[in-house]
Amino acid sequence: MSNQMPPAHPFDDDKLREECGVFGVVGVTDAANFVALGLHALQHRGQEAGGIVTHAPDTGFNQQRRMGLVRDNFTSSGVMQLLPGSIGIGHVRYSTAGSKGQTAMRDVQPFFGEFSMGGAAIAHNGNITNAMSLRRELIERGSIFQSSSDSECIIHLMARSMGRTIPDRMEEALRKVEGAFSIVAMTRTKIIGCRDPLGVRPLVLGKVGDGWALSSETCALDIIGAEFVREIEPGEMVVITAKGGVESHFPFRPNRSRFCIFEHVYFSRPDSILGGRSVYETRENIGRELAKEAPVDADLVCPVPDSGTPAAIGYSLESGIPYAMGIIRNQYMGRTFIEPTESIRNMGVRLKLNVNRALIRGKRVILVDDSVVRGTTSRKIKEMILDAGAAEVHFRIASPPTAWPCFYGVDTPQREKLLAATMTEDEMRKHLGVDSLKFISLNGLYRAVGQADGRDDSAPAYCDACFSGEYPVAPSDMIEQGFEAKAAAE
């Protein structure tokens, strides 16, 4: 497993990568079109590559995988005609484990395996924290891996299972897996959805006409006109057929849910629903809590587009300081806009963001962003604001300091490259060169997501390891390599 990767975009090197997105449908005409639309809505969760697998009685399983965006690969009639059938699943990805940041075609999901009782495809969002040890064991027993992805371990474990059905084999395989997973899989007639016992990664169920859909987020149900039914429960496996409907199983030992709190902060789209809560409203609440905890005299509250916008609105509403679009984002800045030569790289963040000079000049500005990882982009934005004539620059961050890497499907740098792991808050302020810098507290974040009393340190309701260093599932492979993790709260 690798926790290092170059930026997916040459001018966007200071954000956590949003793991992956999974989607599946059964019982619909032209399933591939529904899957492509769902993946398009989940594109924010992975922009390096995507894949779709379908099944039709006359052609069997059909697979197409492509590098790049859904809109560039799965919209032409030529490609979609290669994906017939009324059942299908898909996946969009950033590389986390395995490919060391360079997605190879062999690592693009969904993965497919042929078993004695028929074929199955599987798409995985998350990270298997014991993948290295599993891989070694499987290779010693004769397995031949085709990819560098940790997700392929599940296919090999299924192949070695003696279960009578594919869902039985998946259950047995997943009992050997540690870490975080939301899985959408398919056979010739069924789609299968499963979440890890802690429910770290999201997965939801929807009804579309006479068929069914599984998705990482509710926003992808909206785009296909599906009705949101419910979230898949932590540790639950659902097996869905077009005629038989939804069968629910709980193959794992019951455990206390530890959903990823950063989904509320940044990963999920603001128009999605998580745990019955609007992501947008939660982020606005985060801004309100931040204004209560870290007030400052200023003239304007400006978001760092686009992820800081809801929190900036909340900060403005709570503080009474006017909200303003002091930074404008170029919405058409694509990944391949221009060859990233050295002279273009030196333009840096200016290619994506531009300061509204007439608005900023002479003002005391509060900049609200979702997080600070390495701090490189924050410094560049501060310089742009000062160059535009701002009198003061104050950073307010809508998450606690990111001081620990994530091993559950999010790409983060090595710990020593995280600014908050090596500096105090005041040292970070001096490093960024701003008049003030404040992060929301972990208790404040918990209050914003609905925990009125803040974080219960003895039994946290969320996975917050990137802030607290308390890993609810021990990152076995990384500990084997010498990583020193805090013990999880019991």
Side-chain angles (χ1 to χ4, degrees):
M1 180 167 60
S2 169
N3 251 19
Q4 299 181 71
M5 64 176 279
H9 188 291
F11 316 113
D12 188 11
D13 63 348
D14 200 22
K15 293 291 182 185
L16 300 182
R17 303 291 175 210
E18 299 98 322
E19 326 119 14
C20 303
V22 294
F23 192 85
V25 290
V26 63
V28 299
T29 303
D30 297 325
N33 289 328
F34 284 86
V35 175
L37 285 169
L39 295 180
H40 180 69
L42 297 173
Q43 191 77 86
H44 59 289
R45 301 187 71 88
Q47 299 173 29
E48 288 186 351
I52 297 175
V53 176
T54 64
H55 183 274
D58 53 343
T59 62
F61 284 94
N62 315 283
Q63 310 173 53
Q64 292 294 317
R65 298 176 180 83
R66 298 287 191 276
M67 309 302 295
L69 303 178
V70 175
R71 71 183 184 202
D72 297 331
N73 292 306
F74 294 102
T75 53
S76 71
S77 58
V79 172
M80 302 312 285
Q81 286 174 1
L82 300 174
L83 295 165
S86 61
I87 181 172
I89 66 171
H91 185 271
V92 288
R93 86 184 298 262
Y94 276 123
S95 56
T96 52
S99 61
K100 296 185 179 179
Q102 296 295 330
T103 297
M105 188 60 72
R106 65 177 186 162
D107 294 325
V108 180
Q109 299 185 43
F111 292 129
F112 178 78
E114 195 74 58
F115 307 107
S116 58
M117 69 287 293
I122 185 168
H124 168 219
N125 168 214
N127 221 34
I128 298 172
T129 57
N130 64 334
M132 288 174 58
S133 56
L134 285 175
R135 193 182 185 96
R136 281 197 304 268
E137 179 182 338
L138 287 163
I139 290 173
E140 288 171 358
R141 294 184 179 184
S143 294
I144 299 173
F145 280 74
Q146 301 297 313
S147 78
S148 62
S149 172
D150 61 333
S151 307
E152 193 184 352
C153 289
I154 300 169
I155 288 286
H156 287 282
L157 290 169
M158 290 172 64
R160 292 187 169 275
S161 166
M162 300 303 293
R164 292 176 53 253
T165 68
I166 287 174
D168 288 344
R169 290 188 172 208
M170 182 176 291
E171 283 190 21
E172 184 177 329
L174 292 178
R175 287 194 191 104
K176 299 177 181 178
V177 164
E178 298 173 6
F181 53 83
S182 281
I183 287 171
V184 172
M186 64 175 281
T187 67
R188 289 170 294 182
T189 59
K190 303 178 178 72
I191 59 172
I192 304 164
C194 188
R195 289 179 76 189
D196 67 82
L198 299 181
V200 177
R201 304 262 72 88
L203 189 65
V204 298
L205 173 69
K207 190 81 172 69
V208 51
D210 294 328
W212 297 88
L214 290 166
S215 174
S216 290
E217 292 184 41
T218 61
C219 64
L221 301 179
D222 296 336
I223 200 173
I224 65 168
E227 174 192 356
F228 169 56
V229 176
R230 64 178 178 88
E231 295 184 359
I232 304 302
E233 295 294 323
E236 181 183 15
M237 175 182 284
V238 291
V239 181
I240 309 171
T241 57
K243 295 182 180 179
V246 181
E247 296 179 4
S248 174
H249 310 272
F250 286 86
F252 309 107
R253 185 178 67 184
N255 215 322
R256 183 168 44 83
S257 173
R258 294 292 296 274
F259 183 63
C260 171
I261 201 167
F262 214 79
E263 290 279 355
H264 287 287
V265 174
Y266 176 66
F267 293 141
S268 294
R269 255 178 48 167
D271 50 336
S272 285
I273 304 294
L274 293 178
R277 297 174 60 86
S278 158
V279 174
Y280 178 91
E281 291 178 2
T282 295
R283 290 176 186 168
E284 185 181 297
N285 288 341
I286 292 173
R288 289 180 179 273
E289 285 289 336
L290 190 52
K292 294 174 186 175
E293 291 187 350
V296 62
D297 288 333
D299 303 305
L300 296 175
V301 177
C302 300
V304 176
D306 292 313
S307 54
T309 299
I313 291 171
Y315 194 103
S316 171
L317 290 171
E318 184 66 32
S319 66
I321 299 171
Y323 171 90
M325 294 297 292
I327 302 173
I328 307 300
R329 184 182 182 93
N330 180 357
Q331 300 292 342
Y332 303 99
M333 179 62 194
R335 288 165 57 92
T336 56
F337 163 68
I338 195 167
E339 185 68 24
T341 61
E342 187 62 31
S343 60
I344 295 299
R345 286 184 187 277
N346 289 339
M347 296 181 187
V349 75
R350 295 177 189 272
L351 286 166
K352 286 202 320 177
L353 304 174
N354 191 45
V355 176
N356 190 342
R357 290 177 172 269
L359 189 69
I360 291 295
R361 187 177 296 113
K363 299 295 197 305
R364 298 168 298 169
V365 180
I366 301 171
L367 292 178
V368 180
D369 204 355
D370 61 273
S371 60
V372 172
V373 182
R374 296 177 182 89
T376 52
T377 300
S378 299
R379 291 185 70 176
K380 293 172 184 176
I381 291 172
K382 177 268 303 184
E383 290 167 3
M384 291 168 58
I385 295 290
L386 289 177
D387 288 347
E392 296 176 5
V393 180
H394 303 271
F395 262 114
R396 293 296 179 267
I397 309 302
S399 62
T402 304
W404 296 84
C406 175
F407 301 116
Y408 305 135
V410 181
D411 181 79
T412 46
Q414 293 175 328
R415 186 161 190 246
E416 60 267 23
K417 295 183 180 179
L418 295 168
L419 207 63
T422 59
M423 296 183 185
T424 66
E425 188 174 276
D426 192 55
E427 287 171 339
M428 283 189 279
R429 180 193 65 77
K430 293 175 182 176
H431 175 76
L432 296 178
V434 292
D435 292 279
S436 71
L437 168 68
K438 294 293 181 182
F439 297 81
I440 193 171
S441 68
L442 196 49
N443 277 326
L445 178 58
Y446 268 77
R447 287 192 293 269
V449 299
Q451 303 288 311
D453 296 327
R455 185 182 194 265
D456 180 351
D457 292 340
S458 64
Y462 291 89
C463 176
D464 54 28
C466 54
F467 307 132
S468 67
E470 295 179 6
Y471 293 92
V473 180
S476 303
D477 289 341
M478 300 308 296
I479 291 172
E480 184 180 309
Q481 295 179 41
F483 179 80
E484 296 183 7
K486 288 184 182 179
E490 295 296 334

